[in-house]
Amino acid sequence: MKDLFFSLPEAVVVGNGEFPSHEIPLQVLDSSSLVICCDGGANSYIESGRTPQFIIGDGDSLSTDNRTRFADRFLHSSDQETNDQTKAVRYLHSKGIRRIAIVAATGKREDHTLGNISLLQEYLHMGMEVTMLTDYGFFVAVRGTQTFKSFAGQQVSVFGLQTQGMRSQGLKYSLYDFTAWWQGTLNEAEGKEFTIFTEGEYLVYRTYQKKDSNLL
Amino acid sequence: MKDLFFSLPEAVVVGNGEFPSHEIPLQVLDSSSLVICCDGGANSYIESGRTPQFIIGDGDSLSTDNRTRFADRFLHSSDQETNDQTKAVRYLHSKGIRRIAIVAATGKREDHTLGNISLLQEYLHMGMEVTMLTDYGFFVAVRGTQTFKSFAGQQVSVFGLQTQGMRSQGLKYSLYDFTAWWQGTLNEAEGKEFTIFTEGEYLVYRTYQKKDSNLL
């Protein structure tokens, strides 16, 4: 497996979004010893030839066939206050698991994409260490001054969430306390690592590849 | 054309994201008398058999063939402080155009998706009336108390941007002053319209269809 710039997770959550097609989220998924599917995500996961260990949700998005076939591993949760992604994360948290990956969280309804990404901050508050992997890159939610692995030319976006005095070292454009999401996008790593200095919380997105203007 | 719940635009911007496949953004695109493509979006637009009236950007995402073929309608802008979507919006604004649609703004790199959506607030500040249409629904950025057309069962998400005293009428779950993006997601219209009361600015996302748990 490529150098992924993050520790391999103890478990992977498969969300309700677009099932991954990029090799990196697929490799993370297939190298995990524990996979839990949100019920909308289970159908695609099963169609891809894989077998879920657990499926969580209220079951309304699971096909009748899969509901019967995987009844023994279905964790029913009809809590209307959270989405299926959060139910999966809370389940893993209750089992003492902290370092997880989430795949298939983006790529369909954009309001779900925004919601799922922003929930990374809630998981940070729970003490979870979450990497959300998409077909283009990966998000982490972090707090305070941190150094991130990178490569020269890696595309980086930083989404501040009430930061104070944010600045950076090793990024092409300097950071500041953003007041809109777009202000931290389109940055680039200069070398093998970069550091973000701040007291607040923020999301960092890094792409798998250098900028390819014809593709991205 | 279906009742789209918004006024037809004076112009359409084609972004650098995934080219639309849903009939509604395609119909809006094809019924517009003025279409301007961001340079990364022009390739897909041209490949789909359409001819752009204008292409804007720094040209680095346009194929060599298209750069030669459409040199007469290429508006070169190498401003590093804005993205191509904003360049297109500013160009239309400079021509006195205010009511526009944006398509192909989402669906590839998620940091671009977040940035493009959040820029709707900047365009609101410019006095633009923008609808961003995706393959699943549409976003608008608005200010203050507003009534929105809807249909019973329409999925609605509201993203507050420094709102004060936000509440609603006609939505399944009541709104409040959100502190995280996910808090306003997964709502639903109860009938033909809903009203949001607030003094601040916010984004509203409405789906084209009722919830179909197998698809969404």
Side-chain angles (χ1 to χ4, degrees), chain A residues 38-106:
Chain A
C38 298
D39 71 2
N43 298 320
S44 322
Y45 183 77
I46 294 162
E47 268 168 38
S48 77
R50 295 168 171 88
T51 304
Q53 283 155 294
F54 296 102
I55 303 173
I56 197 163
D58 56 12
D60 65 350
S61 305
L62 201 58
S63 71
T64 319
D65 183 37
N66 285 333
R67 208 177 310 174
T68 314
R69 197 169 147 211
F70 297 104
D72 63 327
R73 59 200 73 184
F74 183 66
L75 306 166
H76 187 267
S77 167
S78 56
D79 180 358
Q80 293 292 312
E81 296 301 308
T82 62
N83 70 3
D84 291 341
Q85 177 182 283
T86 298
K87 289 171 188 170
V89 173
R90 286 185 184 169
Y91 175 80
L92 294 172
H93 185 267
S94 76
K95 299 294 174 195
I97 291 170
R98 295 294 178 267
R99 200 176 62 250
I100 68 168
I102 301 176
V103 301
T106 64

Side-chain angles (χ1 to χ4, degrees), chain B residues 26-41:
Chain B
L26 287 174
Q27 283 173 352
V28 169
L29 187 60
D30 290 334
S31 63
S32 177
S33 56
L34 178 57
V35 174
I36 179 165
C37 293
C38 298
D39 71 3

Side-chain angles (χ1 to χ4, degrees), chain B residues 22-117:
Chain B
H22 191 282
E23 57 174 335
I24 293 182
L26 287 174
Q27 283 173 352
V28 169
L29 187 60
D30 290 334
S31 63
S32 177
S33 56
L34 178 57
V35 174
I36 179 165
C37 293
C38 298
D39 71 3
N43 298 320
S44 322
Y45 183 78
I46 295 163
E47 268 168 38
S48 76
R50 295 166 172 88
T51 304
Q53 284 154 292
F54 296 102
I55 302 172
I56 197 163
D58 56 12
D60 64 351
S61 305
L62 201 58
S63 71
T64 319
D65 184 34
N66 286 333
R67 208 177 310 173
T68 313
R69 198 169 145 209
F70 297 105
D72 63 329
R73 57 199 72 186
F74 183 66
L75 305 165
H76 187 266
S77 167
S78 55
D79 180 358
Q80 293 293 311
E81 296 303 308
T82 63
N83 70 3
D84 291 341
Q85 176 181 283
T86 298
K87 288 172 189 170
V89 173
R90 287 186 184 170
Y91 176 79
L92 295 172
H93 185 268
S94 76
K95 299 294 174 194
I97 292 169
R98 295 292 178 268
R99 198 174 66 251
I100 68 166
I102 301 176
V103 301
T106 63
K108 287 189 180 172
R109 266 176 56 184
E110 295 76 15
D111 56 340
H112 289 186
T113 293
L114 292 178
N116 289 339
I117 293 169

Side-chain angles (χ1 to χ4, degrees), chain A residues 156-204:
Chain A
V156 177
S157 289
V158 180
F159 300 95
L161 307 154
Q162 302 103 37
T163 60
Q164 299 96 40
M166 187 155 70
R167 58 190 181 83
S168 56
Q169 202 164 58
L171 291 175
K172 193 169 170 185
Y173 306 104
S174 40
L175 302 181
Y176 55 97
D177 292 327
F178 304 126
T179 55
W181 313 338
W182 60 268
Q183 291 169 328
T185 63
L186 308 183
N187 217 324
E188 192 174 296
E190 293 179 319
K192 287 186 179 170
E193 61 177 44
F194 61 91
T195 301
I196 297 178
F197 305 89
T198 180
E199 286 181 18
E201 293 175 352
Y202 52 101
L203 301 173
V204 175

